[in-house]
């Protein structure tokens, strides 16, 4: 089945001043794994079409999916989706796509999620799927590199993790430019110390997922390899 | 009534050069499944091996001493971006396979980092595939596959394997990394052979 399915926009919620999560209902959605993506197709009135790929930012939930969109300056598709696409209107989606950058909830063993900026989106789906497992799930840690507190996507999810104080599911924000008052980590780019964590070391059998802009992914994945992680245990997805 | 009211899209590029479902980009995005391997040209070797046991190996210096070709071509990535008029320099597979003793119909490219991809032999002969080491006049950077990558521009870019270290000629086809993970076995962008479903 390579069919395009009709998807209707139910709601749009803010992740930052500019980024939006689109909550869509898809006719006949077959479900997906955390980390997978969809192709989104837009058709203009004259038949012109544009297609882009977006990561799914929530785990499977019946016919509902979520994608999170950072509008690109002068972009053809992302500003329309983030700003102009009316609630109740439709787009077409194809998927789920991708068989490598996925976390299967039945997989035992700790998982280290490493996000740069909007690269948090597919990792948020993994984190939510992990939280759905409750006490039965494996250890998870998210290292989330972001510019400043205004760019912190999925705030409610991250606040919930902080408040739960469950040692098995933790998240750390790595601010690169401006941190909130009292934040324990000095402002700066990701370092080995941000990733060298008890319970998530190579000897623990950790699986790492790294997602973000190319330069960030290159840096973070190299840090993990130098910490001793096997390259095939470091799965990456690069944007632009 | 419109499905997506208010969407008009962007035109103004040569759509005849754009395979279906692609859009043009002026950046050079990177798609890799894992970390970028560190490959030193001091111990780089390129090996071609066939099903008869024949093999040939080139060191970096020997590889650079082979006849070089400059190639200007469009690239098409399965993640839907296309990039026009990219400039490469490298060695044609016609040169690398010229002396091979083989009756094989398929080629499997092997890479540093463990990546593999499979191609029909006919897709890599007759000036349609190269091992390239320079992009836009400069040595190929590691994230784009340096020191050397395969370039098979008439197929989706995952077939142009980065960090390539050798080719195996095989009488049987053998799905590579992405081909086993859901991507199409052949990957012709003009026929939109993206995934197993296409």
């Amino acid at each position: 089945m390579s069919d395009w399915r009709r998807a209707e926009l139910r709601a749009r919620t803010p992740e930052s001043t500019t980024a939006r999560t689109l909550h869509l209902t898809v006719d006949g959605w077959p479900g997906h794994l955390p980390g997978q993506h969809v192709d989104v197709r837009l058709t203009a009135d004259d038949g012109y079409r544009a297609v882009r790929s977006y990561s799914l930012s929530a785990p499977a939930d019946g016919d509902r999916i979520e994608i999170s969109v950072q509008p690109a300056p002068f972009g053809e598709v992302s500003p329309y989706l983030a700003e102009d696409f009316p609630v109740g209107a439709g787009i077409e989606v194809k998927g789920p796509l991708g068989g490598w950058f996925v976390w299967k909830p039945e997989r035992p063993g700790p998982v280290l999620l490493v996000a740069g900026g909007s690269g948090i989106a597919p990792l948020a789906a993994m984190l939510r799927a992990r939280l759905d497992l409750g006490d039965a799930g494996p250890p998870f840690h998210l290292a989330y590199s972001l510019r400043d507190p205004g760019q912190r996507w999925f705030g409610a999810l991250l606040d919930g993790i902080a408040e739960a104080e469950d040692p098995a599911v933790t998240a750390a924000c790595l601010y690169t430019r401006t941190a909130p008052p009292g934040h324990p980590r000095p402002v700066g780019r990701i370092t080995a110390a941000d990733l060298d964590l008890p319970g998530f070391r190579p000897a623990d059998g950790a699986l790492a997922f790294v997602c973000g802009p190319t330069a960030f992914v290159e840096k973070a994945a190299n840090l993990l390899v130098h910490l001793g992680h096997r390259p095939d245990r470091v799965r990456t997805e690069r944007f632009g | 009534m419109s499905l997506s009211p208010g969407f008009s899209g962007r035109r103004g590029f040569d759509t005849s050069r754009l395979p279906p479902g692609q859009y043009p980009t002026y950046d050079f995005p990177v798609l890799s499944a894992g970390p970028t391997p560190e490959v030193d040209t001091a111990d780089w070797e390129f090996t071609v091996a066939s099903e008869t046991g024949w093999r040939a190996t080139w060191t970096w210096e020997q590889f650079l001493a082979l006849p070089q070709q400059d190639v200007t071509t469009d690239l098409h990535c399965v993640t839907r971006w296309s990039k026009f008029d990219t400039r490469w320099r490298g060695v044609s597979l016609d040169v690398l396979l010229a002396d091979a003793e083989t009756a094989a119909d398929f080629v499997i490219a092997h890479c540093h980092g463990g990546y593999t991809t499979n191609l029909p032999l006919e897709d890599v002969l007759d000036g349609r595939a190269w091992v390239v080491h320079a992009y836009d006049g400069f040595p190929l950077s590691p994230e784009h596959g340096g020191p050397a990558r395969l370039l098979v521009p008439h197929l989706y870019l995952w077939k142009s394997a980065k960090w390539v270290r050798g080719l195996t000629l095989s009488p049987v086809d053998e799905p590579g990394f992405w081909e086993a993970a859901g991507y199409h076995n052949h990957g012709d962008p003009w026929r939109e052979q993206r995934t197993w479903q296409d």
Side-chain angles (χ1 to χ4, degrees):
Chain A
M1 288 275 292
S2 65
D3 290 1
W4 291 92
R5 301 169 198 273
R6 196 196 138 103
E8 183 182 308
L9 183 64
R10 287 187 293 112
R12 178 169 22 228
T13 53
E15 300 298 349
S16 71
T17 52
T18 52
R20 299 288 180 269
T21 288
L22 275 56
H23 305 254
L24 300 152
T25 305
V26 187
D27 295 340
W29 182 248
H32 59 273
L33 292 167
Q36 288 191 295
H37 60 274
V38 288
D39 282 349
V40 170
R41 182 163 79 178
L42 290 163
T43 306
D45 288 342
D46 64 355
Y48 172 82
R49 281 172 164 164
V51 183
R52 297 292 186 279
S53 290
Y54 285 99
S55 291
L56 293 158
S57 48
D61 178 19
D63 61 357
R64 297 179 166 207
I65 64 167
E66 295 177 25
I67 59 173
S68 302
V69 180
Q70 175 68 57
F74 311 108
E76 181 183 32
V77 169
S78 54
Y80 174 79
L81 290 177
E83 293 154 20
D84 303 324
F85 177 38
V87 170
I91 50 176
E92 292 173 290
V93 302
K94 181 174 160 179
L97 301 170
W100 173 249
F101 197 81
V102 293
W103 178 66
K104 294 177 180 159
E106 63 272 22
R107 183 191 184 278
V111 174
L112 182 56
L113 306 176
V114 187
S118 61
I120 184 77
L123 306 184
M126 297 182 192
L127 203 46
R128 289 163 156 175
R130 163 62 188 86
L131 290 172
D132 288 344
L133 297 179
D135 293 340
F140 258 56
H141 178 78
L142 167 69
Y144 179 15
S145 173
L146 67 169
R147 200 174 59 203
D148 58 58
Q151 301 299 318
R152 186 169 166 262
W153 292 20
F154 307 108
L157 172 68
L158 298 176
D159 290 344
I161 288 168
E163 283 157 19
E165 294 187 349
D166 177 359
V169 182
T170 53
C173 285
L174 320 175
Y175 294 98
T176 60
R177 207 168 295 170
T178 312
H183 189 72
R185 179 187 178 274
V187 165
R189 299 201 178 278
I190 193 166
T191 67
D194 296 314
L195 301 174
D196 185 18
L197 305 166
F200 298 92
R201 295 194 170 120
D204 302 306
L207 181 62
F209 292 91
V210 186
C211 186
T214 296
F216 173 82
V217 172
E218 290 296 316
K219 173 88 186 285
N222 285 340
L223 288 172
L224 288 167
V225 170
H226 286 139
L227 285 169
H229 290 269
R230 271 171 36 190
D232 63 354
R233 290 284 182 94
V234 180
R235 301 190 179 189
T236 61
E237 195 155 271
R238 294 158 169 87
F239 295 166
Chain B
M1 199 193 82
S2 302
L3 181 62
S4 314
F7 177 71
S8 57
R10 215 37 88 59
R11 331 289 160 98
F13 47 86
D14 182 0
T15 51
S16 69
R17 289 173 72 176
L18 208 55
Q22 297 290 111
Y23 66 92
T25 182
Y26 301 97
D27 302 327
F28 195 168
V30 173
L31 181 87
S32 308
T36 295
E38 293 171 25
V39 183
D40 189 347
T41 54
D43 41 49
W44 185 91
E45 274 192 346
F46 192 85
T47 300
V48 181
S50 84
E51 79 285 4
T52 67
W54 175 89
R55 54 194 286 138
T57 299
W58 294 268
T59 65
W60 187 251
E61 286 71 27
Q62 290 167 335
F63 170 72
L64 292 182
L66 292 171
Q68 303 287 317
Q69 250 184 307
D70 290 305
V71 183
T72 299
T73 187
D74 298 348
L75 305 179
H76 309 294
C77 179
V78 71
T79 61
R80 299 197 175 265
W81 56 266
S82 292
K83 185 172 176 63
F84 296 149
D85 297 322
T86 61
R87 295 166 52 234
W88 304 87
R89 184 171 176 80
V91 177
S92 169
L93 260 59
D94 294 319
V95 172
L96 295 167
L97 298 175
D99 298 326
E101 294 167 8
T102 184
D105 290 324
F106 301 96
V107 179
I108 294 117
H110 301 270
C111 303
H112 294 275
Y115 183 83
T116 59
T117 192
N118 57 313
L119 300 130
L121 188 60
E122 63 175 354
D123 274 283
V124 301
L125 295 177
D126 302 323
R128 300 215 288 171
W130 296 264
V131 173
V132 292
H133 56 82
Y135 171 71
D136 220 9
F138 292 94
L140 186 57
S141 63
E143 71 267 26
H144 286 302
R149 75 180 294 171
L150 203 58
L151 178 67
V152 194
H154 70 283
L155 299 178
Y156 282 126
L157 201 53
W158 87 79
K159 294 287 187 182
S160 295
K162 296 172 188 171
W163 315 300
V164 70
R165 60 179 176 80
L167 304 173
T168 304
L169 295 158
S170 169
V172 287
D173 199 8
E174 196 179 298
F177 177 87
W178 285 119
E179 293 83 0
Y183 282 7
H184 196 277
N185 198 50
H186 186 229
D188 181 347
W190 295 97
R191 293 157 70 188
E192 249 197 305
Q193 295 172 335
R194 296 177 189 276
T195 69
W196 290 349
Q197 286 79 36
D198 295 320

